[in-house]
Amino acid sequence: MTETPVMPLHMRRERFDPVEELARAREGEGVTRIMTIFGTPAYLVSRYEDVREVLSDATRFSNAGSQPVLHSDTLSKEERARLQAGQLLAYDPPEHTRLRRMLTPEFTVRRMRRLEPRIVEIVDAALDDLERAGKPADLVSHFALPVPSLVICELLGVPYSDREAFQRRTGRLLDASLPLEQRTAAQLENREYMGHLVERARVEPGEDMLGMLVREHGDDLTDAELAGVSSLLLLAGHETTSNMLGLGTLALLRHPDQLALVRDDPEQVEPAVEELLRWLSIVHSGVPRTTTTEVEIAGQTVPEGSQLILALPAANRDPDFVDDPERLDVTRGAAGHLAFGHGVHHCLGAPLARMEMRIAFPALLRRFPGLALAVPYEEIEFKAFHVVYGVRELPVTW
């Protein structure tokens, strides 16, 4: 029997909240020695200003020294290189800049606004499906997951009919309780699947993003890079937003006064999305950084070559960042939170994710003004070991 690994400190939560031990680490020394889930030593950075500093400086704190893609010992050197190709999170400038520059025009706020009518249609169709399912129904499978999945599939040019297969692979890939070999296998399967789509786009590029990349940058990008970029966008595009929609809805149901503001006041929707992003911080840490020189963080000396884990939930609940940080307050907006990261690796898809949430949350709450949990709150299962935090199911009634 395979033993479940010990959960690292930065991933530990009590339902919505980071564990008290994480807050004590932040209020104490601010930099804590920990062991990663792979059994390697690292430094945990937990204060808002310190985390922001690390994210701001790609020279002293390198992504390239870490491993955002999984590397099982069973992989050959060539397989490892193929998996890493095109993975924006695996590079520092200038290589990161080269890849990101090709994608940035597709994710501007102006470009995202063109998608708004289609996103409204997708949200409405998902709400129709939820209603047809009858109560009680699982909000995750009928709404929170289908909406961002269909949006990113249409944007990238991925057949929506393939969604169940790639969602299963993504679920294995992000489940840190599984053996490394199983997660690596899921990663290889994802890359092989995307490689077939790249081959098809090379022959007949469509009007989607993959087609655009082939037409405009096909001579500058290898097939492996195209597959890597697309794999990352597909994974991030549906997994993060779907967990925000599910967990965010549960948070609002647990705070009826906050829910009413989002449902009834259009002016409150945008700040509510930002506050939910801060308060939930569904990405525990992002990609580990590696120090390229000896550095000082929170008054402590960290040697060159050290791995840094950034505790985003702790940083976003730092009282030096916002007042009364443990309280969900959808009126405050929480500008400057780190839920999307910061610096050169700030989430490329942030404008798309924000738009999906701004449309989806109020649409759901207005369609079902009597929305409520269909099971006791204590029975809701949270995805404790997942790299992206959320709930497995959310049974609701109305």
Side-chain angles (χ1 to χ4, degrees):
M1 179 180 293
T2 302
E3 292 186 6
T4 301
V6 176
M7 186 180 295
L9 176 58
H10 69 282
M11 293 180 67
R12 297 178 199 165
R13 308 211 192 190
E14 293 290 342
R15 297 193 166 257
F16 292 116
D17 303 321
V19 294
E20 289 186 12
E21 187 181 354
L22 194 51
R24 287 197 298 269
R26 181 190 62 220
E27 303 309 320
E29 294 185 338
V31 177
T32 309
R33 295 298 302 269
I34 64 167
M35 298 298 288
T36 71
I37 205 161
F38 300 111
T40 56
Y43 289 84
L44 182 67
V45 184
S46 50
R47 293 176 184 166
Y48 175 82
E49 285 298 336
D50 296 329
V51 171
R52 198 171 187 273
E53 178 185 358
V54 172
L55 291 171
S56 300
D57 190 344
T59 301
R60 292 187 301 152
F61 307 104
S62 170
N63 275 42
S66 302
Q67 290 186 355
V69 291
L70 299 173
H71 284 168
S72 167
D73 291 337
T74 61
L75 296 183
S76 67
K77 183 178 179 180
E78 291 73 19
E79 286 175 318
R80 295 184 184 202
R82 187 164 56 88
L83 276 179
Q84 187 158 316
Q87 286 284 343
L88 287 166
L89 298 177
Y91 297 109
D92 296 324
E95 184 62 16
H96 169 267
T97 309
R98 178 185 77 88
L99 290 169
R100 183 160 176 137
R101 187 182 294 125
M102 301 177 194
L103 295 167
T104 299
E106 296 301 308
F107 285 97
T108 61
V109 173
R110 179 185 301 177
R111 188 67 61 92
M112 290 302 103
R113 284 183 183 143
R114 296 182 192 174
L115 295 176
E116 185 168 358
R118 178 57 184 144
I119 295 175
V120 169
E121 291 177 357
I122 289 171
V123 167
D124 288 343
L127 291 172
D128 291 342
D129 179 64
L130 179 63
E131 192 165 17
R132 280 193 300 268
K135 52 188 178 182
D138 175 25
L139 189 83
V140 172
S141 61
H142 288 284
F143 184 72
L145 188 54
V147 168
S149 293
L150 182 51
V151 170
I152 196 64
C153 281
E154 290 192 359
L155 188 63
L156 273 177
V158 174
Y160 187 58
S161 57
D162 295 345
R163 68 192 181 281
E164 291 186 4
F166 71 67
Q167 286 165 2
R168 282 196 301 272
R169 291 193 297 269
T170 298
R172 299 204 312 274
L173 175 59
L174 296 179
D175 187 349
S177 70
L178 294 178
L180 179 59
E181 288 72 21
Q182 289 187 31
R183 298 175 65 200
T184 301
Q187 187 173 235
L188 288 167
E189 290 168 18
N190 267 347
R191 180 56 69 98
E192 183 179 6
Y193 168 75
M194 196 56 69
H196 292 314
L197 296 185
V198 168
E199 290 174 6
R200 189 184 311 170
R202 286 283 194 189
V203 175
E204 191 175 349
E207 295 304 313
D208 47 70
M209 190 178 297
L210 186 53
M212 177 278 296
L213 287 170
V214 168
R215 284 194 304 274
E216 299 184 12
H217 306 288
D219 293 337
D220 303 316
L221 291 167
T222 66
D223 285 0
E225 286 177 325
L226 281 168
V229 165
S230 303
S231 294
L232 177 60
L233 293 176
L234 179 61
L235 183 153
H238 80 271
E239 190 69 29
T240 50
T241 307
S242 68
N243 280 291
M244 272 301 303
L245 291 175
L247 196 60
T249 299
L250 179 59
L252 292 173
L253 289 172
R254 297 292 293 172
H255 298 80
D257 56 328
Q258 310 283 293
L259 184 151
L261 288 171
V262 177
R263 182 190 63 216
D264 301 332
D265 186 354
E267 296 298 319
Q268 286 301 322
V269 174
E270 188 168 335
V273 166
E274 299 307 314
E275 174 69 349
L276 286 167
L277 284 162
R278 177 198 74 84
W279 197 69
L280 296 173
S281 295
I282 60 169
V283 176
H284 303 288
S285 64
V287 173
R289 266 57 174 181
T290 302
T291 55
T292 60
T293 184
E294 182 179 277
V295 297
E296 184 176 297
I297 305 174
Q300 296 189 52
T301 299
V302 178
E304 178 183 351
S306 300
Q307 189 175 71
L308 302 181
I309 306 293
L310 308 179
L312 300 182
N316 278 334
R317 293 199 184 194
D318 189 335
D320 287 339
F321 168 47
V322 293
D323 294 331
D324 197 8
E326 302 299 325
R327 179 171 60 90
L328 178 67
D329 178 5
V330 298
T331 66
R332 78 168 119 209
H337 64 75
L338 303 173
F340 287 123
H342 183 70
V344 297
H345 288 284
H346 182 269
C347 177
L348 186 66
L352 177 61
R354 286 185 164 109
M355 175 172 287
E356 290 178 277
M357 287 184 277
R358 286 199 299 262
I359 293 170
F361 280 126
L364 169 68
L365 300 176
R366 290 169 191 160
R367 173 74 76 91
F368 302 106
L371 192 71
L373 288 179
V375 299
Y377 171 62
E378 293 72 23
E379 293 183 12
I380 301 297
E381 184 181 358
F382 290 73
K383 297 196 291 189
F385 266 93
H386 272 240
V387 175
V388 182
Y389 194 58
V391 292
R392 294 191 183 280
E393 295 180 341
L394 190 61
V396 294
T397 186
W398 51 87

